C-alpha cells in the first residue's frame, strides 16, 4: 500500500543538528513528490533550550503546521529528557527513536528543581510504545564524533526502518553539508545503517 | 515550487513587488526577512537602522520619493516606531509603504505577547495576515498594491509560526527585478496638519491647502467595501452547524480539526468584509472566531452587531497564548481523547553560551553585591533566578535611564548601575546617557561591546566592523561618542582580563562623577573565537558547592556518573577555555 504520509516530531537541544536533520529529510520526501510542512520551533535553543521540529509529509496538502497531540507517528529524539516531553503526542501505534544522551537541564544544575528519580531510559521503554534506543557511548567511533553527528546516525536508522534508499539519502547528505564535513557525515551514516541492521529487529 | 519559510517568502515577495528600499531593526521572529532580502536580492537597498523608529522613517521618506519601501521589525519594535506610523497613517502615500511586523504568538521566542493588529484599529490602517509561506509571498505583493491604491501604509502581520514554518511556494524563475516607482503627490503632511487646515482655517478651500488633504476615512470605507470581493478573503460554505471566521495559521488548525465547518478565511483582517461575515452568519447555526492573540477581530465583528462566540469559549491573552489544533479539538469536538504531558520533567532555563563576556560582568556584580539593571541583551539571562545578578530589566535601551531614575530618587546614595549591550546602546540607550549627563547625574553605565546584536543572531550595529553598508571610516566608536556626550570617566577593558575588569567596575561605581565602563569581547558564537584549552574539575577536590554552576555557563553541568553519584563536570566540547569558572572555585578544583 502506498504511504500517504506521516507526522514526525524531531526533538532535542540546541546544537544537535535538528534543523539539518529535518532539512535532509525534507529533500528526500520532496524527491518522492510529497507535500510538506515543517515547523521549527526554536525557542532559545542556542542557549541550552529545547528544540522541536514538527515534520509532516503527505500526498494531500498539509494543513496545520503543528501536529496535534495523539497524531504523531514517529518521535525521533536526540536527548532523552526531551523524548519524555513528547511521548504523550504519539499515536497508539506510534514509534519512538531516542538517544540515551542527556543534557542536564539548567533548572536541575542550579537546584531550582529536582531531577526525576527514575531512569529516563526506563521511562521511555515503559511508555507502552514501540521504542528503539540508541546509546551514543556504546557506538563511539574513531572515524567521527557521535556527540555531534547523532542526527546523521539517526537519519540512517530511520531510513533503514522505513526501507528507504540509503544511496539517495547519502547523496542528499553529500549535496547538503559543507565539503569538509562530508566524509565524517558519511561514516556516521554508515554507522547508523549497521546499528539499525543489528538491532532494528527488536521493533 | 521551492521550500521556503515565511521570512524567506516575504523577502521573495519584496523582490517581486519591486521594492527599492528595505529598512528596519532586528527582532525575533522577523529578523530573517531582512537577512534574506539582503543576501538574495542585491538590487534592493537594505539597511539595519539604529532603531525601529528610524527604520520606519527611512521607509516613509523613500515612499514619499515614489518608491516601494518596506520596514521590518517585531511588534515590540513597532511600539518604538509608533509615533512615526501615526504620522504616516492618514497621510498621502506615493510609493507603496508596507510594514512587515513579527508577532511572537505563543511567546515562542520569549516576548510578552503583543498583537500588532491593535495598530490597525488605532491608526485606521489595513492589516494583512498570511497563513503559510505561499500567502506570505503573495500578500507581500498585495500589500503594496493596496497601499498605493488606497493611499495608506499597510501592515503585513507575520507570526513566529509563519516565520519558522517551511512549506512550498510557487516561484517563477523568469521574474526579473523591476523597480516600482510611482509619483502622485508633491506634498504629504501628517493627517494632523491636513485636518487642522481643513477644519479650522478660514479659506481652507484654497487649492494649496486642499491638495494636502487626504480623505483617509473615505479610503478606508472604500477598502472595506471592496474587501468583500477580494480573493484573499475566502468564504468556504460547507456544513450549516459550525461557522468559523479565522485568519493566519489558525485557519489550518480549524480546517484540520473541523473539516465540515463553513469558514471565512481572511487574508486582510482589517478592515473587515462585512457582507461576507453576514453571509456566513446567516448560513450557520453557530459562528465562532478563531484568532491568535488578542480578541481583535472578535470585537470588530461584534461591533458590526453580528453574534459570534469567541473568548467566552476560548480564553484569550494572558490565559491563552496561541491557538493550537488541540485547543480547538478540546472545545469543539465532542469526546476528543485527552492527552497529558508526563509529570515532573524538568524545564530548561536559558543559559549563556560558554565564554560570553556577559558571564564575567554578571559574576563581578554578584560577587560585590552591586545593584544593577540589565537591558534587552544576552546578558538579561543574568536576571534569571539561578544567577540573580540583576534586579531590574525592562525594554530595549532602557537600563541607563532606569539606573539614573533610581539614583536621583535615592539621592545618589546607592549607586545603581545600568548594564547595556552595544545594540541597545545605539538603539535608544544613547538617549539615556545624554539625558543623565545634562541632568547632572552621577550614574555608572557598563556598555558591553561584542561587535554585534548577538541575541538575534549577530546583525551589525553602528560600532561593528561589518555590515550591509559598512565602510571603516563610518564605524562609530562607543568610547569617542561617550566622550563627546560629556561622560567624565571612561574605561575600556577586555572582558577576559578578570582582575582588570573587576577593578574597572569597582572604580566606576566608587567614582564621584558619571562613568562608563566599556567591556570588549566579540560575541563568541557569532565570531567563532578560537578556543583555549578546556578546563576540567578535579572530583577529589570538588565539594559540590556549585559556585561554578551559578555562573550560568552552558558548559558546566551536574551529571549522574555510572555509579549513580552526582558529579559537577565541564563539557569539554562546549568549554572555550575562558577560565571564569576557575576564578569562582574556592577549592582550586578547576584547572585547564
Amino acid at each position: 500500500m502506498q504511504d500517504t504520509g506521516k507526522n514526525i516530531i524531531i526533538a532535542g537541544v540546541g546544537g544537535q543538528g535538528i534543523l539539518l536533520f529535518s532539512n535532509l529529510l525534507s529533500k528526500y520526501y520532496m524527491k518522492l513528490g510529497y507535500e510538506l510542512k515543517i515547523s521549527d520551533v526554536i525557542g532559545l535553543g542556542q542557549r541550552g533550550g529545547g528544540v522541536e521540529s514538527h515534520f509532516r509529509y503527505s500526498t494531500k496538502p498539509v494543513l496545520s503546521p503543528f501536529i496535534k497531540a495523539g497524531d504523531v507517528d514517529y518521535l525521533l529524539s536526540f536527548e532523552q529528557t526531551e523524548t519524555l516531553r513528547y511521548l504523550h503526542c504519539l499515536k497508539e501505534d506510534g514509534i519512538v527513536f531516542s538517544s540515551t544522551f542527556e543534557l542536564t537541564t539548567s533548572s536541575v544544575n542550579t537546584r531550582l528543581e529536582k531531577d526525576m528519580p527514575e531512569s529516563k531510559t526506563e521511562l521511555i521503554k515503559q511508555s507502552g510504545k514501540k521504542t528503539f534506543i540508541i546509546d551514543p557511548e556504546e557506538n563511539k567511533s574513531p572515524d567521527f564524533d557521535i556527540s555531534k553527528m547523532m542526527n546523521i546516525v539517526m537519519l540512517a536508522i530511520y531510513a533503514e526502518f522505513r526501507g528507504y534508499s540509503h544511496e539517495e539519502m547519502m547523496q542528499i547528505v553529500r549535496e547538503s553539508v559543507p565539503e569538509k564535513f562530508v566524509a565524517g557525515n558519511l561514516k556516521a551514516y554508515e554507522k547508523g545503517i549497521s546499528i539499525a541492521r543489528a538491532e532494528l529487529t527488536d521493533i | 515550487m521551492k521550500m521556503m519559510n515565511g521570512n524567506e517568502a516575504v523577502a521573495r515577495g519584496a523582490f517581486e513587488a519591486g521594492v527599492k528600499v528595505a529598512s528596519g531593526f532586528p527582532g525575533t521572529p522577523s529578523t530573517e526577512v531582512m537577512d534574506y532580502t539582503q543576501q538574495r536580492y542585491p538590487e534592493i537597498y537594505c539597511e539595519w537602522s539604529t532603531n525601529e523608529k528610524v527604520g520606519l522613517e527611512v521607509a516613509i521618506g523613500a515612499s514619499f520619493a515614489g518608491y516601494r519601501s518596506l520596514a521590518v521589525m517585531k511588534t515590540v519594535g513597532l511600539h518604538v516606531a509608533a509615533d512615526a506610523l501615526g504620522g504616516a497613517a492618514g497621510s498621502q502615500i506615493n510609493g507603496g509603504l508596507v510594514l512587515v511586523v513579527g508577532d511572537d504568538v505563543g511567546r515562542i521566542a520569549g516576548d510578552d505577547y503583543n498583537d500588532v493588529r491593535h495598530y490597525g484599529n488605532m491608526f485606521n490602517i489595513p492589516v494583512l495576515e498570511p497563513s503559510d509561506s505561499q500567502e506570505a509571498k503573495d500578500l507581500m505583493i498585495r500589500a503594496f498594491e493596496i497601499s498605493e491604491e488606497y493611499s495608506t501604509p499597510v501592515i503585513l502581520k507575520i507570526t513566529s509560526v509563519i516565520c519558522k514554518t517551511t512549506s512550498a511556494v510557487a516561484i517563477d524563475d523568469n521574474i526579473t527585478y523591476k523597480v516600482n516607482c510611482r509619483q502622485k503627490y508633491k506634498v504629504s503632511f501628517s493627517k494632523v496638519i491636513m485636518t487642522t487646515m481643513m477644519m479650522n482655517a478660514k479659506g481652507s478651500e484654497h487649492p494649496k491647502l486642499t491638495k494636502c488633504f487626504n480623505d483617509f476615512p473615505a479610503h478606508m470605507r472604500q477598502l472595506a467595501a471592496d474587501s468583500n470581493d477580494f480573493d484573499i478573503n475566502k468564504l468556504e460554505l460547507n456544513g450549516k452547524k459550525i461557522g468559523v471566521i479565522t485568519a493566519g495559521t489558525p485557519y489550518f488548525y480549524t480546517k484540520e480539526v473541523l473539516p465540515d465547518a463553513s469558514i471565512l478565511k481572511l487574508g486582510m483582517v482589517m478592515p473587515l468584509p462585512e457582507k461576507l461575515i453576514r453571509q456566513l452568519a446567516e448560513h450557520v447555526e453557530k459562528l465562532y472566531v478563531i484568532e491568535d492573540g488578542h480578541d481583535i477581530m472578535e470585537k470588530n465583528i461584534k461591533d458590526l452587531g453580528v453574534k459570534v462566540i469567541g473568548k467566552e469559549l476560548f480564553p484569550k491573552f494572558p490565559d491563552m497564548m496561541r491557538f493550537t489544533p488541540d485547543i480547538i479539538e478540546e472545545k469543539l469536538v465532542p469526546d476528543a481523547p485527552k492527552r497529558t504531558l508526563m509529570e515532573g520533567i524538568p524545564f530548561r532555563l536559558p543559559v549563556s553560551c560558554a565564554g560570553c563576556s556577559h558571564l564575567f560582568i554578571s559574576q563581578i556584580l554578584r560577587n560585590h553585591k552591586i545593584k544593577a539593571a540589565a537591558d534587552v541583551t544576552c546578558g538579561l539571562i543574568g536576571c534569571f533566578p539561578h544567577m540573580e545578578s540583576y534586579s531590574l530589566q525592562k525594554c530595549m535601551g532602557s537600563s541607563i535611564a532606569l539606573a539614573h531614575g533610581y539614583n536621583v530618587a535615592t539621592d545618589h546614595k546607592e549607586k545603581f548601575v545600568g548594564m547595556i549591550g552595544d545594540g541597545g546602546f545605539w538603539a535608544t540607550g544613547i538617549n539615556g546617557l545624554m539625558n543623565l549627563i545634562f541632568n547632572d547625574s552621577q550614574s555608572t553605565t557598563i556598555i558591553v561591546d561584542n561587535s554585534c546584536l548577538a541575541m538575534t543572531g549577530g546583525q551589525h550595529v553602528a560600532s561593528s566592523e561589518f555590515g550591509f553598508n559598512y565602510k571603516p571610516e563610518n564605524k562609530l566608536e562607543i568610547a569617542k561618542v561617550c566622550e563627546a556626550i560629556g561622560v567624565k570617566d571612561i574605561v575600556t577593558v577586555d572582558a577576559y582580563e578578570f582582575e582588570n575588569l573587576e577593578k574597572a567596575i569597582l572604580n566606576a561605581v566608587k567614582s564621584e562623577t558619571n562613568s562608563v565602563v566599556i567591556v570588549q569581547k566579540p560575541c563568541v558564537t557569532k565570531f567563532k573565537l578560537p578556543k583555549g584549552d578546556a578546563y576540567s574539575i578535579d572530583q577529589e577536590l570538588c565539594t559540590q558547592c556549585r559556585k561554578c554552576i551559578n555562573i550560568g555557563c552552558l558548559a558546566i553541568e551536574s551529571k549522574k556518573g555510572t555509579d549513580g553519584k552526582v558529579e559537577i563536570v565541564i563539557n569539554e566540547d562546549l568549554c572555550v577555555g575562558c577560565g571564569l569558572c576557575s576564578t569562582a572555585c574556592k577549592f582550586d578544583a578547576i584547572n585547564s
Side-chain angles (χ1 to χ4, degrees), chain B residues 241-305:
Chain B
K241 277 217 159 82
I242 293 181
V244 177
I245 299 171
T246 183
T249 45
Y251 164 68
F252 286 117
Y253 311 153
T254 307
K255 288 279 279 184
E256 185 151 320
V257 178
L258 306 168
D260 300 325
S262 290
I263 297 177
L264 174 58
K265 190 264 185 203
L266 300 177
M268 185 165 73
V269 295
M270 205 168 278
L272 292 171
E274 191 176 344
K275 271 191 211 161
L276 296 180
I277 291 170
R278 293 194 190 282
Q279 202 181 330
L280 176 62
E282 276 164 29
H283 180 76
V284 295
E285 288 168 27
K286 273 191 174 166
L287 184 58
Y288 299 88
V289 180
I290 296 184
E291 60 183 321
D292 265 332
H294 300 193
D295 52 340
I296 295 175
M297 294 202 311
E298 180 182 337
K299 278 184 178 153
N300 289 347
I301 293 165
K302 284 178 175 168
D303 280 352
L304 297 171

Side-chain angles (χ1 to χ4, degrees), chain B residues 461-524:
Chain B
V461 292
S463 48
S464 299
E465 290 182 347
F466 67 103
F468 298 167
N469 308 307
Y470 175 70
K471 279 185 183 165
E473 65 266 33
N474 298 333
K475 172 181 179 305
L476 300 188
E477 299 282 351
I478 296 173
K480 279 189 190 167
V481 169
C482 290
E483 197 184 331
I485 287 173
V487 180
K488 309 286 184 305
D489 186 356
I490 303 164
V491 182
T492 302
V493 54
D494 184 302
Y496 283 9
E497 291 171 9
F498 188 77
E499 283 172 21
N500 284 344
L501 177 63
E502 191 170 39
K503 214 186 290 170
I505 291 175
L506 291 176
N507 284 344
V509 172
K510 279 186 208 130
S511 168
E512 299 276 304
T513 178
N514 51 66
S515 52
V516 165
V517 180
I518 301 166
V519 184
Q520 290 185 319
K521 182 59 67 184
C523 167
V524 282

Side-chain angles (χ1 to χ4, degrees), chain B residues 191-207:
Chain B
K191 66 172 180 288
V192 180
I193 292 178
M194 334 170 301
T195 49
T196 308
M197 287 192 295
M198 287 304 293
M199 287 169 194
N200 297 332
K202 256 193 181 176
S204 62
E205 69 282 4
H206 191 285

Side-chain angles (χ1 to χ4, degrees), chain B residues 97-112:
Chain B
L97 176 63
V98 176
L99 287 81
V100 177
V101 188
D103 249 352
D104 184 16
V105 294
R107 305 175 74 181
I108 289 172
D111 281 342
D112 197 359

